[in-house]
Structure formats: C-alpha cells, structure tokens
Amino acid sequence: SADFVAALDLYLRLSGDLELARELWPAAERALEWCARSLDSEGRLANSLAGIAAVEAGPLSDKIESEVFLQGAWGAALGAGQRLASALGHDPARWRALEERLRAAFEVFWSEEKGHYGFATLRGGGRCDDLTAYLGYAMSRGLGERARAWASVQALNRPSVMSDWGARMFARDSSLYEGTHYNHGAVFPYLTNFTTLALFAHGHAAAAWQVLDSQLALTHLNGL
C-alpha cells in the first residue's frame, strides 16, 4: 500500500501525467489512511498491525513490533503523499505532520553501542541492533539523523554485509546470519538496489558505483 503511493508519485514526476494522478489519488489517499491506522503509539508503521514486511520466517518472525524496512516504505509514502497532494491542489499538512512524527520515532532504532541503526524493535520492549541490508530502504529515503544515517550507510559497505554480488540481508557477524536462509543471510538484488541508492544519497559514490557494477555483472547469469 505504501509503495503504491511512492510509485504514483514517481510516475507523476517522470511523466507529468496529472490526469492519471488525479484519477488514482483517491486510491493513494486510501492507502495512506490505511497505513495511518496501522501505526504504533510513536508513529512508526507497526508490523503487528500492517503485516509482514522484511522477515517472513526464522527466529525473529513472530517477535518483531516494527522494523526499519517498513519505516522506509512509510517514509517514502509520506513524502510522495505530500508531493502528490500539492500537485493536485490538496492540503499536504496531514502527511507532513505524520512524516515529522515518523522522523522522531525512527531514532529508536539507533544503537550507540554499534554506531549504526539496527533492524527492529521487538515485542516486550527489546531491540535487534544487527546490521542489515533492510536498512538501505530507510536510508535511501532520507530517514535518520544526518550523522547517524551517514555512519549507518557507511556500515552497509562493510565486507560483513557487502559481497562481490550484492548486499546480504544480515551481516555475517549477526547472531541471526544464515547464508542459505532467504530472510537471514542470502544476497537479494532488490535490497541491494536500496543499499546502492543509500550509498549514493549519503555521499559514498565510489562504493555505490562498485555495488551497482556488481548488479550489472549479474545480467544474464540466470533469469531476467
């Protein structure tokens, strides 16, 4: 639902097709409102209310309250909602207020000990501070206090996360890491895409280009 709003905004920005944006705006508004009803008390999109996002299986699957990947989707939707509303002559104030609330609430993921944003808040009050490529979505969408976000994106380029063929879902030094597990260690080009965007967005251009080149090298390796 959140990504639909972001996709519509991207389409409008690239095409200038106000007619289609106006036709689909009611659907985008419903998507935003659905997300707004799925927030925790601090303003984060809650996995327990919105449904699964990053981790579908494994030791964390039934413990997550909210995680960084879903906040990236929500942040992208809120920015998109403001731009769409403004372009179509509507008041963007509601989505701006929710974005400000999310930005403040996102700081709960910061780990002073690790020096980067972690993965998730857990039911019962705990937190998973492990380094993960899922973080790339939130960082590519501008969430996080500037210095903390810079440090977190820099951490995503560590060898424990970045392989020669893309970003691992969890770093090799994570207690959750399992190299053959789809949710807990495998390299996923989809997440690598967000990690690449995050590296570019935070000034790590040389590293970003290297990661992008690794994805180009996968062309024709298997299916499309």
Side-chain angles (χ1 to χ4, degrees):
S1 295
D3 278 348
F4 167 70
V5 183
L8 181 59
D9 169 56
L10 182 61
Y11 171 78
L12 177 60
R13 282 188 282 156
L14 294 177
S15 70
D17 189 351
L18 276 168
E19 184 179 350
L20 183 62
R22 190 170 288 109
E23 178 185 339
L24 294 179
W25 171 247
E29 259 194 320
R30 289 195 297 272
L32 286 163
E33 292 292 356
W34 180 86
C35 290
R37 293 193 300 271
S38 301
L39 303 179
D40 64 18
S41 60
E42 303 297 320
R44 292 175 291 268
L45 200 52
N47 294 58
S48 55
L49 298 172
I52 342 179
V55 171
E56 303 159 335
L60 278 184
S61 59
D62 60 348
K63 299 178 182 177
I64 296 171
E65 181 58 38
S66 65
E67 40 82 352
V68 291
F69 183 80
L70 206 55
Q71 310 322 307
W74 182 220
L78 288 169
Q82 291 171 65
R83 287 186 292 272
L84 285 165
S86 297
L88 297 172
H90 302 295
D91 186 358
R94 172 161 165 71
W95 315 123
R96 185 182 302 118
L98 285 171
E99 183 183 24
E100 291 171 0
R101 192 175 177 217
L102 170 64
R103 288 186 178 281
F106 186 80
E107 296 307 309
V108 74
F109 296 109
W110 175 254
S111 170
E112 195 66 41
E113 178 186 357
K114 302 279 189 178
H116 58 70
Y117 289 108
F119 173 60
T121 60
L122 306 177
R123 295 176 186 177
R127 191 176 65 195
C128 174
D129 287 341
D130 292 4
L131 187 59
T132 165
Y134 289 113
L135 182 59
Y137 197 175
M139 298 294 94
S140 72
R141 294 306 189 255
L143 289 178
E145 185 274 327
R146 186 173 180 179
R148 290 176 172 183
W150 189 91
S152 298
V153 173
Q154 190 176 44
L156 288 175
N157 199 45
R158 292 175 184 169
S160 60
V161 178
M162 198 63 67
S163 72
D164 289 342
W165 55 97
R168 296 180 177 90
M169 291 187 175
F170 279 88
R172 285 185 301 182
D173 55 5
S174 163
S175 61
L176 301 168
Y177 176 74
E178 171 50 61
T180 60
H181 194 297
Y182 174 76
N183 284 136
H184 289 279
V187 169
F188 192 14
Y190 175 72
L191 285 185
T192 302
N193 164 59
F194 291 120
T195 303
T196 305
L197 291 173
L199 286 163
F200 274 122
H202 289 273
H204 302 293
W209 176 253
Q210 189 174 30
V211 180
L212 177 61
D213 196 49
S214 78
Q215 300 309 285
L216 295 175
L218 298 178
T219 305
H220 305 307
L221 183 65
N222 207 315
L224 291 175

